[in-house]
Amino acid sequence: MMNVAVVGLGCIGGYLAARLEQAGARVVVVGRSKRPSPIKLTVSDGDGESIEHTWNGIDYSTSYNSVSDCDVVFIAVKSYHTEAVAKELKGKCKRGCAVVSVQNGLRNADVMRRVLAGDACRVCAGMVSFNVIKEERKGDISLCRTTKGVFVFEADGEGIHVDRVKEAASILARVGVNAKTADSDQIQRVQIAKLLLNLNNAVNALALCPLREQLCDGGYRQVTAMAMAEAIRVFEAAGLEVDPRDRSIVPLPPRAIAIVLLLPTPIFSVVASKMLRVDKKARSSMQDDMVAGRETEIDDLNGYVSELGRKHGVSTPVNTMLAAAVHKKERERQEDGKPLVGMSPSNLLAELEGTVLGWKAEVVRGGWGRCAIAASVLRDLIGWR
């Protein structure tokens, strides 16, 4: 029997832990805060692909010593907690243990490697391409996967840690969870493609509406397409490839996804029908964090694009605006405690006034203005100059 630890009992951590336990692994969940015992954890899939599973009395601990016997340790905490978690793990993982990050952003595995340098474990990057929503009542947790997707774990080269990562992916497959492994070059491309998709998290959080409703609005889609086009330019300037080229992981090249987002809504609804097959309650975890007054991961998503853009001399007004708008909402919620009000697409584009894209914000209210934005973004995506 494989021994597994999952650090973090959020949406992804809880879902992963329950599915591993369902498949027969011995699982311990490590969290920061004490919880009433026993904890009941139920996971389901909105598309009905996997069987609902309830884990009564999960093995939950606040002590990192509980990972000492584990073959694989999955890290599923927010990116801003990565370094603190790595310091807690220092010296506690057994030889050959694989420490796998399944977090948002591109820097987590490198942070873990730096802190855990010299330890007997091996750090591997990972990626999760689906959405999970969480509801918690009286200590009982319900998690629902609301979109299709896959777990991808880095398994490069040879060694016992590689065998353990592959075994974990195989165990998940027993209960209908799509999980696969990739080498280090591919995992980087996969993570970049996921980050490009995650740029929509900020738009969804600021819109304060379900994901399907947001994607059915052409204005919101244009903002996301602009953010993606901007980020693609940044990654190319940094010499990084943005397409994983594995259509079982990302169904379209990121450029094509951004172009599809710019289509008029009646056409988009047909062309992107699979994208719209999401649970009616699906929303980004960033929206949940912002509404709850918690810190978001905006600095590791849109903020990271802006940071990398500055480093390589690429202007990033859209992602910079989105990061600033999310930070503003964070402060409002944390300081005032009042319910937040969502931003309309025109509100978001008006925030760009005074930037190099200001002229687009001024004309967005008209149909021709939206066509001008679409044409400009298409030019950048296709490479016209």
Side-chain angles (χ1 to χ4, degrees):
M1 179 184 292
M2 172 171 266
N3 293 328
V4 180
V6 177
V7 181
L9 189 53
C11 296
I12 297 301
Y15 184 89
L16 176 59
R19 288 302 185 198
L20 285 165
E21 191 272 343
Q22 179 187 8
R26 178 182 169 274
V27 183
V28 59
V29 178
V30 182
R32 289 180 299 143
S33 55
K34 291 185 177 180
R35 286 177 169 269
S37 184
I39 302 172
K40 179 182 175 183
L41 178 60
T42 301
V43 292
S44 60
D45 297 292
D47 52 20
E49 286 192 346
S50 299
I51 299 170
E52 179 175 297
H53 174 64
T54 298
W55 182 9
N56 285 298
I58 74 174
D59 188 356
Y60 180 84
S61 176
T62 56
S63 171
Y64 282 82
N65 290 322
S66 57
V67 309
S68 60
D69 246 358
C70 292
D71 304 305
V72 181
V73 177
F74 288 102
I75 310 300
V77 300
K78 297 295 184 181
S79 297
Y80 45 80
H81 289 312
T82 300
E83 185 160 1
V85 166
K87 289 177 178 176
E88 292 283 359
L89 287 174
K90 185 73 176 172
K92 296 183 176 70
C93 297
K94 70 179 184 181
R95 180 168 298 280
C97 172
V99 178
V100 185
S101 163
V102 287
Q103 303 159 272
N104 284 330
L106 303 181
R107 298 183 274 209
N108 296 292
D110 287 338
V111 171
M112 300 288 293
R113 290 185 184 110
R114 172 174 55 79
V115 177
L116 296 176
D119 276 20
C121 59
R122 179 71 68 88
V123 175
C124 306
M127 188 279 296
V128 186
S129 69
F130 53 83
N131 174 269
V132 176
I133 58 174
K134 177 181 181 180
E135 292 184 3
E136 189 167 352
R137 293 180 182 176
K138 297 180 180 178
D140 292 344
I141 301 170
S142 295
L143 299 168
C144 179
R145 176 174 63 81
T146 60
T147 60
K148 292 181 182 292
V150 60
F151 281 111
V152 186
F153 309 136
E154 181 183 9
D156 210 3
E158 298 178 353
I160 190 169
H161 73 282
V162 173
D163 295 337
R164 286 169 171 165
V165 170
K166 289 180 177 179
E167 184 181 354
S170 176
I171 286 172
L172 286 167
R174 293 178 197 167
V175 289
V177 176
N178 191 359
K180 62 195 307 179
T181 59
D183 62 30
S184 56
D185 287 338
Q186 187 183 28
I187 198 72
Q188 184 185 57
R189 296 194 299 270
V190 166
Q191 286 184 305
I192 290 172
K194 172 68 184 311
L195 187 146
L196 289 169
L197 297 176
N198 276 348
L199 297 178
N200 184 65
N201 289 5
V203 180
N204 182 250
L206 293 166
L208 284 177
C209 65
L211 187 59
R212 185 193 295 173
E213 181 182 333
Q214 180 237 312
L215 288 174
C216 285
D217 188 300
Y220 286 130
R221 293 199 310 274
Q222 283 191 330
V223 176
T224 299
M226 291 162 70
M228 289 182 68
E230 198 175 79
I232 289 169
R233 291 197 302 272
V234 169
F235 285 122
E236 288 180 339
L240 298 171
E241 193 171 344
V242 300
D243 186 4
R245 299 195 296 270
D246 184 337
R247 296 298 163 241
S248 67
I249 299 174
V250 180
L252 289 172
R255 268 190 183 79
I257 293 173
I259 290 170
V260 168
L261 290 172
L262 291 168
L263 294 172
T265 297
I267 301 174
F268 173 81
S269 299
V270 175
V271 173
S273 58
K274 288 184 179 180
M275 194 183 296
L276 294 175
R277 287 178 197 162
V278 298
D279 188 276
K280 62 182 180 181
K281 295 186 291 185
R283 57 195 179 270
S284 69
S285 60
M286 186 177 292
Q287 183 181 140
D288 286 345
D289 289 337
M290 199 172 73
V291 169
R294 297 187 294 261
E295 184 179 357
T296 71
E297 292 184 298
I298 190 69
D299 289 337
D300 283 282
L301 299 175
N302 308 75
Y304 175 79
V305 171
S306 298
E307 180 184 326
L308 194 62
R310 288 192 296 273
K311 183 177 178 181
H312 293 279
V314 180
S315 176
T316 58
V318 181
N319 284 286
T320 300
M321 177 275 290
L322 288 171
V326 169
H327 279 310
K328 182 179 178 182
K329 291 290 186 182
E330 282 178 333
R331 290 192 299 272
E332 286 178 10
R333 183 64 173 145
Q334 291 165 2
E335 293 170 7
D336 299 339
K338 297 178 181 178
L340 295 172
V341 177
M343 297 180 70
S344 68
S346 5
N347 290 153
L348 288 172
L349 287 156
E351 293 289 325
L352 291 169
E353 290 179 5
T355 72
V356 294
L357 293 177
W359 66 273
K360 296 175 185 174
E362 291 169 8
V363 297
V364 72
R365 289 180 179 81
W368 286 109
R370 289 194 170 182
C371 288
I373 292 177
S376 178
V377 177
L378 278 170
R379 180 198 66 198
D380 292 337
L381 288 166
I382 297 171
W384 294 340
R385 295 291 182 266

